[in-house]
Amino acid sequence: MNVFKMFDKDACSIQGGDSIKWTWGEYYKQCDKLTQQGSQVVLVDMINQPVPGSVPLKNELFESAYPDGTYFVLYCHSGGSSGFLQKQLSEKLPQYHIVNMTGGIGMYEPEQGRD
């Protein structure tokens, strides 16, 4: 699977508008909660604008040994392309939870004490 053929990393997509979404605040809360419950949460940078704790998008990311039930939280510029990719990956990778970061990097605010 080539994830880079599923979206245009240089353009926002309006096709991701009705995806499963978290805000940055929800991400921090869910990350803490899910991690305490033993789930893995992976913050995925789709646009080469890393934030603390993120990993770059690459094909091997979804082919590696993440356990079933892992949460992959995708962010792009605005949340449009990550939402579009989220919908496609959810169908192809039902063993994982794929979440779109609403507002993307444009709404990023570091959580106090995390960066």
Side-chain angles (χ1 to χ4, degrees), residues 24 27-28 31 41-45 49-56 61 66 71 73 75 108 114-115:
W24 285 97
Y27 163 73
Y28 295 125
C31 186
V41 180
V42 181
L43 181 60
V44 182
D45 172 16
Q49 292 189 13
V51 300
S54 68
V55 298
L61 184 65
Y66 284 102
Y71 286 77
V73 183
Y75 72 88
Y108 173 68
R114 277 210 192 227
D115 53 21

Side-chain angles (χ1 to χ4, degrees), residues 3-13 45-49 57 76-77 81:
V3 295
F4 296 100
K5 290 186 177 185
M6 295 179 168
F7 73 102
D8 181 352
K9 69 178 184 163
D10 297 318
C12 291
S13 171
D45 172 16
M46 294 175 51
I47 54 173
N48 198 28
Q49 292 189 13
L57 179 66
C76 64
H77 296 287
S81 293

